[in-house]
Amino acid sequence: MTIKHVAPTKKIHSFHPPQRTLLGPGPSEINPRVMAAMSLPAIGYLDPVFVEMMEELKLLLRYTYQTSNALTFPVSGPGSVGMEYCFVNLVSPGDKVIVMRNGVFGGRMIENVQRAGGVAVVVEDAWGEPCDPEKLEDALKANPDARVVAFVHAETSTGVQSDAKSLVALAHKHGALTIVDAVTSLAGTPVMVDEWNIDAVYSASQKCLSCTPGLSPVSFSDRVVEHVKARKDKIHSWFMDMNLLLGYWGETTRTYHHTAPTNSLYALHEALLLIKEEGLENSWARHHRHHLALMAGLEAMGLRYLVKEGARLPQMNAVHIPEAVREREAEVRKTLLTEFNLEIGAGLGPLAGKIWRIGIMGYSCKPENVMLCLSALGSVLSDMGLPIQVGEAEAAAHHAYAQMHAQEAKRKVASIR
Ligand SMILES: Cc1ncc(COP(=O)(O)O)c(C=O)c1O
């Protein structure tokens, strides 16, 4: 036997990533409690202690999704796997699916429909606009045989939020089931699965849940479970077949399906516990509060939002890149990363080179990050010759915070009287 050595000329050391401030479109920063949970001793995925933790994890997920759906669990894999899990289980070959597309991820839904053998009817909205309920109603009237309606609640590529409640109600009025992408919305803005009657929903661990990437919480209503169980054809994917996954994540059985990522699941348990301790409403309010301060600062710098007021996601702020630095926008992001250890996101698809995406998600959503972002971006843009008064953005954010604190204090006094 001859042993082949690892790149003999390169000395490989342990990996030590730098400490970054993560204000991109995800992943977000991770609470040290979550990292500590991840490094706890490994145990088997059928160990009774682990099984007990799985039950708590399901309870915590139901709380986060505001649902009593029994089939609520984390699929092993990133958000894209959760997306695929929904489509392969709900869509049979030949099924007509209405997909609302207003950004990158609606486009991926179309791919999923087609790969599951379905027929996608695409309803387009401009990038940066929410999905239009009127267009959905027209499509449902024109396609009475549509079985499923799918849309992205929070389009990460543009920072727009769609009215999930109305879209789901319309789909149901016309007898269609719904698949909702809540990857960026969950825990950042309300996702009321039971109240809105969402049928199938998926999210991802690395956005407002602030866990390590690689898990995709999903929830199916009983109606969907019945629909999938009644399918006569074999579900196209073995790994994502709901009926087989039920053997491991279901209510009554715990049998081997695949080796679950145990330590990542400890981490998700801790991340969800943090959300429960904070309270969902407080988590939504925190995202809203820091968004208002960030927005005040960005606008004071002269930056304009892509999305109109009222449809903006607090956790995903997309701003137009000033004309004068468009050619050098990658340099701006590189300077932020190398000099300030700060990551912000670039635009995607037709918005590449036109917008920056500033995410304040989960553990990243805190005042020190808002202030650092405004200070760092202001100084880089000022150095590049933009007419920006360094410090003005921070002052505007400070003013916004002060106003919110004053309103909050008034509210507290009024509630005591
Ligand atoms: C709205 C949306 N859907 C789906 C995905 C895919 O998730 P992942 O990258 O975890 O596979 C993303 C990722 O950014 C997203 O923002």
Side-chain angles (χ1 to χ4, degrees), residues 3-12:
I3 299 289
K4 286 196 171 130
H5 291 283
V6 180
T9 53
K10 183 174 162 53
K11 188 141 177 51
I12 300 182

Side-chain angles (χ1 to χ4, degrees), residues 78-80 83 105 108 152 154 156 181 183-184 204 206-207:
S80 307
M83 182 189 277
F105 296 100
R108 292 213 185 153
V152 178
T156 327
D181 178 317
V183 167
T184 286
Q206 78 277 19
K207 308 265 183 179

Side-chain angles (χ1 to χ4, degrees), residues 22 24-31 78-80 105 108 152 154-157 181-189 202-217 268 271 275 283 286-287 313 315-316 348 357 359-365:
L22 297 180
S28 57
E29 291 170 29
I30 300 173
N31 188 303
S80 307
F105 296 100
R108 292 213 185 153
V152 178
E155 196 26 280
T156 327
S157 59
D181 178 317
V183 167
T184 286
S185 47
L186 191 63
T189 49
Y202 60 90
S203 188
S205 48
Q206 78 277 19
K207 308 265 183 179
C208 297
L209 301 183
S210 272
C211 186
T212 46
L215 288 169
S216 180
L268 184 61
I275 291 171
S283 175
R286 175 168 51 85
H287 285 86
L313 281 167
Q315 62 272 49
M316 184 75 265
L348 295 176
R357 293 180 300 149
I360 41 170
M361 299 179 186
Y363 192 58
S364 287
C365 182

